[in-house]
Amino acid sequence: MNRREIRRGLGNFAAITKSRLSGRTYVPHPRRAIFIETSGRCNLACRFCAYEKSKPGGFMSDERFANVLDQVCEMGYRFVWLTPMLGEVFADPKISEKFALLEADSRIEGYSFYSNFILARPNQVQALPGLRKLAGLYISLYGFDADTFARTTRKPGSQFEKLQENLSRLLALMDDWRPHNGIHFNVRTVRTDVPILERNAPMADLLRELTAKGATVSEAEDYDSWGGTIAQSEVTPLGIELVDGNHLYMHGPCTKIFAEVQIKTDGQVNACVCRDMDGSLDIGHLDDAPLKEILSFANDPYRELIESQMRNKFGSNCRACSSYRSIYDGRPSHFDSSLEVMSYEQACNLLDN
């Protein structure tokens, strides 16, 4: 095990054991937010991502999206994440139409998404201030210059130039606009000892200007192996070290299977938006049953997944995932007072009705 795995494992053990001894569980409300994958395609091939090793997905049709939106609203969901598991939001040629559907539905209170922000067309960037329900904008950056971008994404530097152009357009908008949850950048690229905002690089110059107008910047620390799909040798050129979930302490169901369910482009429903490389988290399809039946204890695959994890039985996909967060781990709710949590029993009762 590496030092990061040891530190994460000890942290998990301490937090989980403390709550178990006091009989406390912290399950995020299962009906507050849902993830809808509108795009299964990406324009990059990042070394630490499983996209290149997976079958490319498609795009969710406007008709299916409207149907999904109606179903999630009828179930009480009021917030939508458009972040795909392996795709890029702006790869969808009809993403603007989907934004419009979200804006027009009075039942939806807000939505957000992650993006590498390269494929956004100039008119789409200019239209962002008009998206009044866009709660937050989360942009992933994969290089601080053309060279590190190419080393990270295995794509030409021309895409880095498009990113800089879009960030300059975004910067110009920020004098008069920011979504209420803010604009956030996360840097995932070649590791150095110099913080991104202190580097002498074009991207650092732009980020300093963006942070001066209220944006935030963070640098990724943990990189997952995607259930063993990504080998350490593949990311060694970036100077990063993968975290293997097999080495982490796990006890009790992961919170993601309650509160981070994803509906894929074709209508397949996954119990987790984070990782599913072997199909073990598929719990139903919207062509076979409505969402309210799939996300209930009446649905055997979903109930059995939750109950098996309660017995500390994890499939290989989940066992290897470093993003695991136990229902016995109260740290997220302690750090974020806006996170609505309930007990495991309360969550089960909700899913049973």
Side-chain angles (χ1 to χ4, degrees):
M1 291 196 297
N2 60 48
R3 284 179 296 178
R4 191 173 301 280
E5 290 168 351
I6 294 172
R7 187 167 64 248
R8 285 277 304 278
L10 290 174
N12 281 7
F13 178 79
I16 291 170
T17 302
K18 179 181 179 181
S19 294
R20 285 180 57 213
L21 292 175
S22 61
R24 299 289 300 273
T25 48
Y26 306 85
V27 180
H29 197 298
R31 295 288 186 267
R32 287 295 179 259
I34 196 160
F35 292 72
I36 304 176
E37 179 187 68
T38 56
S39 168
R41 300 286 181 88
C42 188
N43 53 307
L44 303 180
C46 297
R47 289 179 175 273
F48 42 74
C49 180
Y51 179 75
E52 282 289 286
K53 299 173 185 280
S54 304
K55 181 180 178 181
F59 304 115
M60 184 177 285
S61 68
D62 289 351
E63 294 75 19
R64 185 181 289 279
F65 184 78
N67 177 266
V68 167
L69 195 58
D70 189 58
Q71 290 195 55
V72 302
C73 288
E74 287 299 310
M75 293 178 65
Y77 291 101
R78 294 295 179 262
F79 196 93
V80 171
W81 284 91
L82 297 175
T83 304
M85 187 181 298
L86 291 170
E88 159 58 36
V89 166
F90 285 106
D92 180 359
K94 292 192 174 182
I95 191 61
S96 294
E97 286 83 349
K98 294 178 177 68
F99 291 159
L101 286 171
L102 288 162
E103 293 286 331
D105 196 316
S106 61
R107 298 168 295 180
I108 293 295
E109 296 175 358
Y111 60 95
S112 291
F113 57 84
Y114 284 80
S115 170
N116 61 47
F117 214 55
I118 296 169
L119 297 182
R121 297 187 294 274
N123 66 310
Q124 289 176 315
V125 178
Q126 294 298 326
L128 289 174
L131 302 178
R132 58 188 178 84
K133 294 184 182 180
L134 179 62
L137 184 58
Y138 301 82
I139 299 175
S140 300
L141 304 176
Y142 300 114
F144 43 86
D145 54 28
D147 174 63
T148 53
F149 177 86
R151 286 163 62 189
T152 303
T153 66
R154 295 177 285 201
K155 294 294 180 179
S158 57
Q159 291 206 47
F160 181 78
E161 294 172 6
K162 291 181 180 179
L163 171 62
Q164 290 189 102
E165 292 170 2
N166 275 341
L167 293 182
S168 295
R169 295 183 181 102
L170 180 63
L171 177 67
L173 298 175
M174 291 180 64
D175 285 332
D176 305 307
W177 167 82
R178 278 196 306 276
H180 65 266
N181 285 351
I183 298 175
H184 308 276
F185 296 91
N186 183 254
V187 184
R188 302 172 69 83
T189 187
V190 177
R191 191 181 295 279
T192 72
D193 294 329
V194 182
I196 181 67
L197 293 176
E198 297 178 15
R199 292 172 187 157
N200 180 20
M203 182 59 68
D205 295 338
L206 262 173
L207 288 175
R208 282 190 285 267
E209 293 185 76
L210 287 159
T211 54
K213 293 187 177 183
T216 66
V217 177
S218 61
E219 295 185 62
E221 295 184 356
D222 290 346
Y223 292 84
D224 190 78
S225 69
W226 289 81
T229 303
I230 308 298
Q232 177 61 44
S233 60
E234 295 179 78
V235 300
T236 298
L238 305 182
I240 63 178
E241 198 168 39
L242 298 178
V243 175
D244 185 349
N246 285 294
H247 297 156
L248 303 181
Y249 179 73
M250 295 184 181
H251 191 103
C254 180
T255 59
K256 292 179 181 296
I257 63 176
F258 290 94
E260 296 186 31
V261 172
Q262 181 187 57
I263 303 167
K264 301 194 74 176
T265 57
D266 63 354
Q268 180 70 49
V269 182
N270 277 10
C272 176
V273 68
C274 191
R275 300 285 185 270
D276 186 18
M277 299 309 296
D278 59 4
S280 61
L281 296 175
D282 292 350
I283 56 173
H285 199 289
L286 294 181
D287 289 348
D288 301 323
L291 187 65
K292 65 180 180 180
E293 293 182 10
I294 295 173
L295 296 183
S296 78
F297 267 12
N299 178 22
D300 290 344
Y302 190 38
R303 186 190 68 256
E304 290 168 2
L305 173 66
I306 294 172
E307 291 178 345
S308 66
Q309 291 198 5
M310 193 62 181
R311 298 191 301 271
N312 298 317
K313 294 183 178 179
F314 300 89
S316 59
N317 180 77
C318 293
R319 178 59 261 188
C321 180
S322 67
S323 295
Y324 167 82
R325 180 71 70 188
S326 172
I327 63 169
Y328 292 104
D329 190 343
R331 288 175 293 180
S333 61
H334 296 157
F335 297 145
D336 182 2
S337 60
S338 67
L339 182 63
E340 185 178 353
V341 296
M342 59 179 64
S343 69
Y344 173 72
E345 291 74 19
Q346 288 172 320
C348 290
N349 286 336
L350 189 155
L351 295 173
D352 206 18
N353 294 321

